[in-house]
Amino acid sequence: MTTATFDMLLVEDNPGDARLLTEALKEVPGLGCTIHQSRTLEDAVGAMIDREFDVVIADLSLPDSAGLSTFLRLQTASPEVPVVVLTGLDDRRVALQAVRAGAQDFLVKGSVEPEAMASALRYAVERHQVMGELKKLSFVDDLTQLYNRRGFFTFGGQLLELLDRREQRAVLVFADLDDLKVINDQHGHGMGDMALRGAADALKAALRGSDVVARIGGDEFAALALDASEQDVRAMTARLHMILEEWRGTHDLPFDVHMTTGSVAYGVGGYDSSLSDLLSRADALMYERKKSRKRERLDATDRLGDFPAGLSLSPSP
């Protein structure tokens, strides 16, 4: 018999339920599970960022989160990992909502046989792999492997809804690669593609795994950073600058690659702008900044910078 092995994250705060699930999985022949347990949503998200899991089984009612928002936060933290939802007999409605939102399946506590649970895990992983390939065609930019514009609006919009309900804060980072047209005209589109991939790799390395990062246009990038403070954004900007400098130093390119960046805060309190409105505002602020900077010569210490303090999209107090 072929053994199916899973590196699984179990998100469950009830020791009894966690023990029953673990023992049930051990009884299934041909199934090998390495089980990691988190008791809070915060711990689970951290674990998903730190390592790759094959599947997640998650109770939606946790000490620091409840209901559909639990699933949406897990999905945002690692969209490529399938999630199977745990629910009680009286809470199937929320479980069905999670399935409609993208969960692979749900299991009712206390009423699932080990073999049925093993089948649910196998099918969840297989379905997620198939759906992942289809989604990749729709939501991922072929060149950079970041989300494309559609992916950014899909997953970024879900994230803003979640943060608004939990009264948390996000930061929208808007960036573009300067002089891409000049690079393409003078050195060819192959060099331009290389520059875009370098900028994308730098953004992925500078941001956290839970942030939504996308190439939204020809030379434009955007990222939605979770619950990020102004200090977090400045640290990200510094990392981006350092990573780009290292990337330039390892590539023998006939041009100087740099990015301009700006951050726009999305505060709590019911701000009614859509993600599209936020991007438009960020684009306008970027344009004004670039116009003013064109009057000055860029030096190595001024290739990156935030928008001036006070230019934010947070609602007025």
Side-chain angles (χ1 to χ4, degrees), residues 174-184 191-200 203 215 217-221 244 247 255-261 286 290:
F174 190 85
D176 70 0
L177 178 65
D178 280 355
D179 299 326
L180 179 61
K181 185 177 186 305
V182 174
I183 295 171
N184 286 331
M191 284 294 185
D193 288 350
M194 185 181 295
L196 287 167
R197 284 193 294 265
L203 274 169
R215 179 190 176 200
D219 63 350
E220 294 178 339
F221 300 85
L244 280 172
W247 184 82
F255 55 84
D256 184 23
V257 176
H258 62 274
M259 296 176 70
T260 54
T261 67
M286 172 72 79
K290 290 179 72 172

Side-chain angles (χ1 to χ4, degrees), residues 144-164:
T144 64
Q145 296 304 300
L146 300 179
Y147 287 124
N148 58 21
R149 190 177 187 87
R150 177 184 293 178
F152 183 74
F153 276 94
T154 298
F155 295 108
Q158 291 177 1
L159 182 58
L160 282 185
E161 290 177 6
L162 172 60
L163 292 177
D164 188 54

Side-chain angles (χ1 to χ4, degrees), residues 169-173 223-230 233 263-266:
R169 183 176 180 273
V171 171
L172 176 67
V173 178
L224 205 59
L226 297 168
D227 204 21
S229 66
E230 183 178 346
V233 176
S263 61
V264 181
Y266 181 91

Side-chain angles (χ1 to χ4, degrees), residues 257-280:
V257 176
H258 62 274
M259 296 176 70
T260 54
T261 67
S263 61
V264 181
Y266 181 91
V268 301
Y271 190 81
D272 59 0
S273 283
S274 66
L275 187 55
S276 179
D277 292 333
L278 297 178
L279 274 177
S280 296

Side-chain angles (χ1 to χ4, degrees), residues 96-130:
L96 287 171
Q97 288 178 344
V99 170
R100 294 189 188 104
Q104 292 301 311
D105 205 343
F106 73 91
L107 301 172
V108 179
K109 292 182 180 181
S111 63
V112 180
E113 295 297 324
E115 290 80 3
M117 186 184 303
S119 295
L121 292 179
R122 291 190 182 99
Y123 291 147
V125 172
E126 291 173 3
R127 283 197 301 268
H128 196 80
Q129 288 173 343
V130 172

